[in-house]
Structures are given as C-alpha cells and as structure tokens.
Amino acid sequence: EVQLVQSGAEVKKPGESLKISCKGSGYSFTSNWIGWVRQMPGKGLEWMGIIYPADSDTRYSPSFQGQVTISADKSISTAYLQWSSLRASDTAMYYCARHVRVDDSSGYSTRYFDYWGQGTLATVSS
Amino acid sequence: QSVLTQPPSASGTPGQTVIISCSGSSSNIGGNSVSWYQQLPGTAPKLLFYGNHQRPSGVPDRFSGSKSGTSASLAISGLHSEDEADYYCASWDDSLNGWVFGGGTKLTVL
C-alpha cells in the first residue's frame, strides 16, 4: 500500500527555522516526483514545488522560490520542506503528494498527484 | 488570485446533479490534462479524477469529469450528503513549468 507519512505539527516563533518531512513507503521512492502544497487557514491549495528523489532535481513555484528549500534523502525514502527564517504568514497546513506522469505515444503527458500525506500544520506565532 | 478559475461555492439537494466548472488558458488546461481533488472537512485532498475524466478505483460513477478547450468540469449526480466538501481542479502549466490549482469550490448539500 502506497503511503506518505508526514511529520507532526510544529509551533515556532518568527525567525526560527523549520524542517518538515514526508516519508514514502509501499513503492519505489525514486520512481516518482514528490510535490509540496500549501494550504493557508481557510484558503485553497497552492503548489510550492516538486522534487525528483532519484537525483534531487527540484522545481519551485515562483511564489516560493527563495522562500523555502525542498530536498530529499532517497536512502530513507524521505522528502523535506524547510525554512531558514519563519514568518507569521508561513502559518499553514503543508501537504506532500506523489506525482505521476504518464506520456502517451504522441508525447501528450497526463500528470496528477495520486497519493497525499496527511498534512503537517505549522504555526508561527510570537 | 488563482490561475484556474472556479466558482467559490455550489449547492444542491440530495439526489440532484451539480456541475462545477474550471476555467484556464492554453498554457494549462488547453494543452495539458486536468485532475480534480476532493477535500472533505479536516482531511487531506484526495484524487477524484486524472487525465480529464479518468476515475481512480473507489470513486463512485456518480462523479464524472470532462474537458473542452481551456475549460473543464466536474459533475456529481445523485448528490449525497457525504459529497459535501471542497473540490479543486489542477493542471500543469507550460508557461510556469509547474502546477496551477483552482481556488476551490465549496459544495454544500442542502
């Protein structure tokens, strides 16, 4: 059974650092990209970035480039999302999700997120 | 402001059919497949459709998805109270070289 299990809720102060994790199991962790999605309180889903654990190739949304760092350790099937200096506006639920891409014979790609982690709530408050 | 446009809310009574729209552009929906996600209150999003209209196993056939040009839609027929959730469309965007989501539609079953 495919599972993505995220680390637990965090409460931090502004200016502190934070690293949350997403551990995959039930499949070959290096075969799929892993995406990170933010959901601020009462708001919608926002794509933050995506990483290919096999070689750590990473793409960021322009909205999050330079604000967060996405990494992965394939030896322990775990992806990470980290901040070096948190702000109150980083308070949100963060989800990881397994990314699937299937290309057909014409080169058309079908992409989607098929399995999601349970979410990690990060609260930043003084 | 989300790149993909969805109505913020929709509603229906049990048994009715509800349709949720998702509008994009040539760089996302127009040239790429659409996926839909259901988020029940207090839970993580769950894949509802991929490849515009493909249902993962376990998703009831009361749910259907379609795409035409730069728009997509999700239809739920025979509405059940447990369908009350937030629904999000998403697509790859070739200009952004990344994912874009709709703002989400909150479905209320009256």
Side-chain angles (χ1 to χ4, degrees), chain A residues 39 62 95 99 108 113 116-117, chain B residues 32-33 37 39 44-45 88 96 99:
Chain A
Q39 187 169 38
Y95 295 101
H99 182 263
Y108 183 80
F113 292 106
W116 293 66
Chain B
N32 294 281
S33 65
Y37 302 89
Q39 187 175 33
Y88 295 90
L96 174 66
W99 280 88

Side-chain angles (χ1 to χ4, degrees), chain B residues 16-110:
Chain B
Q16 277 191 329
T17 295
V18 168
I19 297 175
I20 297 171
S21 62
C22 174
S23 178
S25 68
S26 58
S27 65
N28 41 67
I29 294 178
N32 294 281
S33 65
V34 177
S35 52
W36 288 89
Y37 302 89
Q38 178 193 57
Q39 187 175 33
L40 296 169
T43 69
K46 167 194 159 187
L47 177 66
L48 201 59
F49 281 98
Y50 64 96
N52 307 321
H53 60 86
Q54 304 288 336
R55 266 191 311 270
S57 60
V59 174
D61 60 8
R62 303 185 292 105
F63 292 84
S64 61
S66 63
K67 173 185 136 174
S68 178
T70 60
S71 295
S73 61
L74 167 68
I76 309 172
S77 60
L79 209 54
H80 292 185
S81 58
E82 57 262 35
D83 298 334
E84 197 161 276
D86 293 323
Y87 293 86
Y88 295 90
C89 59
S91 182
W92 184 263
D93 189 295
D94 293 323
S95 297
L96 174 66
N97 199 25
W99 280 88
V100 289
F101 283 92
T105 298
K106 183 176 183 61
L107 174 63
T108 301
V109 181
L110 303 168

Side-chain angles (χ1 to χ4, degrees), chain A residues 19-121:
Chain A
K19 191 173 188 177
I20 64 175
S21 65
C22 168
K23 183 173 177 59
S25 63
Y27 75 103
S28 174
F29 190 68
T30 54
S31 296
N32 294 78
W33 292 71
I34 292 285
W36 286 96
V37 175
R38 182 176 78 172
Q39 187 169 38
M40 299 178 76
K43 302 298 184 183
L45 306 176
E46 301 173 88
W47 176 69
M48 302 178 72
I50 199 164
I51 188 166
Y52 190 54
D55 60 9
S56 290
D57 185 11
T58 309
R59 316 279 171 79
Y60 292 93
S61 161
S63 299
F64 293 93
Q65 178 84 48
Q67 308 304 309
V68 298
T69 301
I70 295 171
S71 60
D73 185 339
K74 62 184 179 182
S75 69
I76 54 172
S77 301
T78 301
Y80 301 97
L81 177 64
Q82 69 180 89
W83 295 257
S84 59
S85 181
L86 287 161
R87 308 171 186 175
S89 58
D90 292 318
T91 294
M93 183 71 84
Y94 295 89
Y95 295 101
C96 64
R98 189 177 79 160
H99 182 263
V100 176
R101 174 177 173 173
V102 179
D103 296 331
D104 66 16
S105 55
S106 69
Y108 183 80
S109 296
T110 296
R111 297 179 174 92
Y112 52 97
F113 292 106
D114 62 347
Y115 289 93
W116 293 66
Q118 83 277 20
T120 296
L121 178 62

